[in-house]
Amino acid sequence: MDQAEQLRIIKANKQIRPTARVITVTSGKGGVGKSNMSINLAIQFRKMGKRVVILDADFGLANIEIMFGAVPKHNLCDLVYEGKSISDIITQGPMGVGFISGGSGIAGMSNLGKDALTCIIQNLAELDALTDVIIVDTGAGISDSVLEFLVASGEVLLVTTPEPTSITDSYSLLKALYRHPRYEEAYTKVKMVANRVENVKEGQVLFDKLNAVVTRYLKTSMEYLGCVPQDPQVVQAVMQQVPVSIQNPGAKSSQAYQRIAEKLCDKTQEEQPRRGMAAFFSHIIGTRNGAAKQSR
């Protein structure tokens, strides 16, 4: 099934009204605080009255459920293979933040038939109607799966720390993204967050350094959303499986997450184009099918 047929399926379903904002959080390497970023931004969005769902697409690690202290009964592939509804696969976390375990089902989506594809797109369209913001927490590093999520997303949040390896790996990830055959510069906007910095100045210097290299060698640029300072309260919150934004709202990290969430919700950011979750996954499936055809 090619992408044109997938889009015809979407258009044929009159109930689909893609409205949810899909924000994909990623990093060039593991251990830089990507999942903490996803969770705490979700909590801050909830405090602002947004309906939020996190898709845990970090296969094999299940960081979101561990940090929330909740074990999901179902995952995304149960929509197709077990006949579950979208509400069945959403596990409730703190403050009403829902999360969905991607499981291993996403990896096999390129092999879905027309009926199965229609089923999953219809359910994901329902998710569009149920939520305001969907945060996709990807795996770390450069892989085909991560790149597929990034090229399908209108907004990519790149989490980077001052560690030299984090900077170089972030650049490598961006280079792979910008050179991807289906990357659209006009659609996918990369926004960097400096994590675990000593102060605001260090965060700005980190962004300026990486952005200068990206501008010079990749002929494009990023947007800077701000920084999250090094904070022992974050580690303590992870150990207790409670997001720091809930456990200690006054912590310097919590306040930083709040500022980033507020910046993401300003008028300019809100007016950016949205595909919605159904079209997001259709784009991923199209990417996989296109790659499969090229390999034949």
Side-chain angles (χ1 to χ4, degrees):
M1 184 179 299
D2 59 20
Q3 189 179 21
E5 185 172 354
Q6 294 158 19
L7 293 175
R8 285 194 291 271
I9 292 173
I10 294 176
K11 291 178 181 178
N13 186 345
K14 296 180 181 179
Q15 294 181 342
I16 292 183
R17 297 290 187 274
T19 56
R21 182 179 181 181
V22 180
I23 300 175
T24 304
V25 182
T26 193
S27 62
K29 66 186 292 289
V32 300
K34 173 180 57 62
S35 294
N36 252 316
M37 186 70 62
S38 298
I39 286 174
N40 283 285
L41 286 180
I43 295 298
Q44 295 297 339
F45 283 136
R46 281 294 298 138
K47 290 182 178 181
M48 298 164 69
K50 305 287 186 181
R51 300 170 298 170
V52 188
V53 168
I54 302 174
L55 171 61
D56 190 351
D58 195 350
F59 309 132
L61 295 181
N63 285 335
I64 302 298
E65 62 189 71
I66 292 173
M67 291 181 177
F68 273 167
V71 180
K73 294 181 179 179
H74 305 289
N75 59 40
L76 189 61
C77 64
D78 290 331
L79 283 176
V80 176
Y81 303 114
E82 300 296 332
K84 300 299 181 181
S85 68
I86 196 70
S87 59
D88 290 331
I89 68 169
I90 297 177
T91 302
Q92 290 300 313
M95 285 187 62
V97 173
F99 74 93
I100 298 173
S101 171
S104 59
I106 297 175
M109 283 188 177
S110 59
N111 299 318
L112 292 178
K114 181 177 179 179
D115 291 343
L117 181 59
T118 301
C119 170
I120 199 165
I121 288 177
Q122 286 175 336
N123 277 279
L124 290 173
E126 183 181 345
L127 184 61
D128 278 326
L130 294 173
T131 61
D132 299 309
V133 181
I134 300 169
I135 297 177
V136 180
D137 184 38
T138 74
I142 305 171
S143 68
D144 289 341
S145 294
V146 169
L147 291 174
E148 286 161 11
F149 279 108
L150 301 186
V151 298
S153 179
E155 293 179 82
V156 173
L157 265 60
L158 176 66
V159 182
T160 307
T161 70
E163 296 178 9
T165 53
S166 177
I167 299 171
T168 56
D169 288 341
S170 289
Y171 174 74
S172 296
L173 176 64
L174 292 175
K175 181 169 67 174
L177 170 62
Y178 293 146
R179 293 180 179 177
H180 193 282
R182 296 187 66 179
Y183 166 71
E184 300 175 39
E185 184 176 359
Y187 178 77
T188 300
K189 304 299 182 183
V190 178
K191 306 167 183 180
M192 197 197 98
V193 175
N195 197 32
R196 298 176 185 166
V197 296
E198 291 300 323
N199 49 53
V200 173
K201 182 179 178 180
E202 184 180 35
Q204 185 67 54
V205 169
L206 173 58
F207 169 75
D208 291 342
K209 182 185 301 183
L210 181 57
N211 194 49
V213 177
V214 169
T215 302
R216 179 176 181 181
Y217 294 105
L218 302 182
K219 309 304 179 185
T220 188
S221 61
M222 302 180 294
E223 178 182 343
Y224 185 48
L225 287 179
C227 64
V228 178
Q230 186 75 265
D231 187 358
Q233 294 294 329
V234 175
V235 178
Q236 183 178 342
V238 170
M239 295 297 292
Q240 296 181 11
Q241 295 180 295
V242 179
V244 68
S245 293
I246 294 177
Q247 185 182 73
N248 191 346
K252 55 184 180 179
S253 55
S254 299
Q255 295 174 354
Y257 290 127
Q258 180 182 343
R259 288 191 292 270
I260 293 169
E262 289 173 346
K263 189 169 184 178
L264 283 167
C265 288
D266 68 23
K267 185 177 180 180
T268 303
Q269 300 280 346
E270 287 281 9
E271 289 177 348
Q272 292 185 4
R274 302 182 187 182
R275 277 181 176 152
M277 199 60 172
F280 175 84
F281 266 96
S282 179
H283 194 279
I284 291 173
I285 296 165
T287 301
R288 291 177 183 270
N289 286 339
K293 289 180 180 179
Q294 290 179 0
S295 65
R296 291 174 186 169

